[in-house]
Amino acid sequence: MLVMKFGGTSVGDATRFQHVADLIERVRARHPRLAVVVSAIAGVTDALIRLGHQAARGDPGWAATLEALAAQHRRTVDALALPPAEAAALEEALRAGFGQAEAVARAVAALGELSPSALDRLAGFGERWSARILAAVLRARGVSAEAVDADAFVVTDDRFGEASPDLERTRERARAHLLPLLERGVLPVVTGFIGATPEGRPTTLGRGGSDFSATLLGYALDAEAVWIWTDVDGVMSADPRIVPEARTIPELSYIEAAEMAYFGAKVLHPRTLLPCIDRRIPVRIRNTFNPQHPGTWIVPEPRGNGQVKAVTLIKGMSLITVEGRGMLGVPGVAARTFATVAGLGVNILMISQSSSEQNICFVIPAAAAPRVVQALRAAFEREIARRDIEDIWAMDRVAIIAVVGAGLRATPGIAARVFNALGACRINVLSIAQGSSEYNLSLVVAESEAEEAVRRIHAAFYG
Ligand code: ASP
Ligand code: MG
């Protein structure tokens, strides 16, 4: 059993739908038990969300947005030149779907407000349409394919916009729904992105959530692997816009991939891998536009421990420092600092404390820095008055660079190579943290030097 997912750019227009159908046919010759997950056509989810906001604020332009979407889908279907019966059935299904979307938009316009649940209902239409188109294209080629709406079996909580699936219920329902189809030799073409609460209210798994849908399905159907077809040759060793020499990483562990995602690489959302980790299901990232390329395998135990796999970058950060000689004697400064930040709901990406205990540094998104500094100054008012804490301040326009790879901590010389590479070009490192995890070494540099720093570090390991 294999699950394959195709992203929005992979089904960008009629030619691409045909190309995806080619790929599916080729793979299916070797993997007859196959399920496919599909995203909305590129840009459609954005347009649906825009439409919802237009309707809510009483902008009659929502109708034109919807009509443009309908026209785009009609054009795509026309260009597919399907057999007349298939084309007629598909047009009818799409007409009904657009009718439903219009009804939701009208309700939103009447209420003058877009609830998170209405937004999910709207945002999820794109997948329903693309799945129907892809199933029709496959049927026109003689593949017995059927579009399946995942809200019938992806059971989630009611955190609309970013719902969490209930793995076991989803597994049970997905099996009840899909195994009979598979037994009959039918290829299910499943909508990505969407689910429903136990009461049947439509939800979405968050932007980019179709990857998650695919791994959920892989889990539910005990797939031997999940292949995610996208528009790049796999996971890269650095952002190719910054490092032209960046390469595809052949193998990564789940943890390495999650670490990269956490530190800003556009890999997979960390949640995506969760369903696969338990059952050790490998996830493979492949390029729809370059299917000869083997892509990246994300597996439980990759080869190449102790190697730097990737250098990632997150910009737009601030480095907050709490500093003072008297901190040594004051208990709980760290705890109070982080409790204060947590109380503001601000995410800390990296922490370091000097062993002399004279300062604590941590990195947060720049937008939150003024609030955080203000709250900390208030929280430590007494310590500041007593001069136990001398200053609390933010350094803006910094970036976090993370060097990611399993076993880095146990491998001598990695840090030295990183710092030599930066020293040679006089880039100043503002703060360092080696995670207690052995999976990364992260450092903070000025944003203006960050891209050069990434290039230098990448060259030190991949040069
Ligand atoms: N269509 C959804 C989005 O644009 C889900 C996905 O593409 O994975 O976020
Ligand atoms: Mg997408």
Side-chain angles (χ1 to χ4, degrees):
M1 177 77 222
L2 186 66
V3 174
M4 299 207 294
K5 176 258 174 177
F6 293 91
T9 49
S10 298
V11 293
D13 58 29
T15 322
R16 291 180 178 181
F17 269 105
Q18 295 290 9
H19 177 59
V20 163
D22 282 340
L23 285 175
I24 292 173
E25 279 199 280
R26 247 184 279 159
V27 172
R28 196 163 185 255
R30 275 173 295 124
H31 299 268
R33 272 173 85 85
L34 179 67
V36 167
V37 173
V38 69
S39 292
I41 294 175
V44 168
T45 311
D46 288 327
L48 287 164
I49 292 171
R50 198 167 352 108
L51 180 166
H53 289 291
Q54 285 176 317
R57 65 167 183 267
D59 173 353
W62 70 261
T65 307
L66 186 62
E67 177 44 37
L69 278 176
Q72 178 189 5
H73 283 79
R74 273 198 306 269
R75 269 198 312 278
T76 305
V77 172
D78 287 346
L80 286 167
L82 298 169
E86 201 61 73
L90 179 57
E91 277 158 22
E92 183 45 41
L94 290 178
R95 201 170 313 126
F98 277 94
Q100 288 163 6
E102 185 182 343
V104 178
R106 267 191 205 294
V108 169
L111 288 170
E113 136 187 326
L114 184 60
S115 66
S117 120
L119 181 57
D120 267 5
R121 207 175 274 263
L122 266 179
F125 277 111
E127 272 70 10
R128 301 179 196 270
W129 302 330
S130 61
R132 280 165 178 73
I133 297 175
L134 182 55
V137 173
L138 286 163
R139 276 195 302 270
R141 293 161 172 251
V143 177
S144 148
E146 225 171 88
V148 179
D149 291 328
D151 50 352
F153 57 82
V154 173
V155 183
T156 73
D157 62 12
D158 62 358
R159 270 186 56 211
F160 297 101
E162 189 91 44
S164 289
D166 178 330
L167 276 184
E168 289 323 307
R169 286 170 88 170
T170 297
R171 180 180 161 89
E172 216 174 281
R173 285 213 203 168
R175 295 179 78 81
H177 239 84
L178 299 176
L179 289 181
L181 292 181
L182 289 163
E183 290 312 321
R184 281 194 281 124
V186 172
L187 169 68
V189 179
V190 179
T191 56
F193 191 41
I194 61 175
T197 65
E199 302 76 43
R201 302 176 72 195
T203 55
T204 66
L205 303 175
R207 296 307 307 270
S210 297
D211 294 341
F212 197 13
S213 308
T215 55
L216 277 172
L217 212 56
Y219 173 84
L221 299 176
D222 295 329
E224 80 209 44
V226 175
W227 292 4
I228 298 194
W229 291 90
T230 175
D231 52 8
V232 290
D233 287 337
V235 180
M236 307 291 285
S237 56
D239 183 339
R241 287 165 305 181
I242 299 172
V243 183
E245 304 78 32
R247 304 180 195 168
T248 301
I249 306 169
E251 276 190 15
L252 278 173
S253 68
Y254 300 124
I255 304 177
E256 287 170 323
E259 202 89 355
M260 284 182 68
Y262 180 77
F263 284 105
K266 290 217 165 35
V267 197
L268 295 169
H269 193 286
R271 284 211 298 174
T272 301
L273 294 171
L274 290 179
C276 289
I277 292 176
D278 255 12
R279 294 196 181 230
R280 305 167 68 82
I281 301 170
V283 176
R284 185 181 188 187
I285 318 285
R286 304 193 67 181
N287 190 349
T288 315
F289 305 104
N290 187 18
Q292 287 76 31
H293 198 288
T296 296
W297 282 96
I298 303 175
V299 295
E301 277 120 27
R303 285 165 289 175
N305 248 13
Q307 275 170 24
V308 167
K309 298 266 178 82
V311 185
T312 68
L313 171 64
I314 327 184
K315 293 191 193 174
M317 297 287 130
S318 285
L319 178 67
I320 310 289
T321 303
V322 178
E323 190 170 46
R325 282 181 226 288
M327 277 170 57
L328 191 62
V330 183
V333 173
R336 281 163 65 201
T337 301
F338 298 127
T340 305
V341 180
L344 297 172
V346 172
N347 185 26
I348 298 179
L349 284 99
M350 175 181 151
I351 299 172
S352 74
Q353 176 171 29
S354 62
S355 47
S356 68
E357 285 190 50
Q358 290 186 0
N359 72 59
I360 300 171
C361 297
F362 57 94
V363 180
I364 55 171
R371 280 192 290 144
V372 166
V373 169
Q374 200 185 13
L376 287 172
R377 286 193 179 141
F380 289 111
E381 207 182 340
R382 265 198 301 153
E383 288 77 2
I384 293 170
R386 283 204 303 260
R387 297 292 187 102
D388 284 338
I389 289 178
E390 268 136 48
D391 203 0
I392 298 173
W393 48 286
M395 179 187 278
D396 292 333
R397 280 180 285 281
V398 303
I400 301 180
I401 294 175
V403 179
V404 178
L408 291 190
R409 191 175 48 184
T411 310
I414 302 270
R417 272 161 87 182
V418 170
F419 294 112
N420 280 337
L422 296 180
C425 60
R426 310 191 65 80
I427 290 177
N428 190 24
V429 177
L430 302 167
S431 177
I432 306 165
Q434 168 144 29
S436 49
S437 96
E438 51 177 336
Y439 295 96
N440 89 77
L441 169 71
S442 33
L443 28 125
V444 179
V445 300
E447 206 168 75
S448 57
E449 297 180 322
E451 294 196 354
E452 185 58 20
V454 170
R455 281 189 285 272
R456 297 287 180 140
I457 297 171
H458 190 273
F461 293 98
Y462 278 92

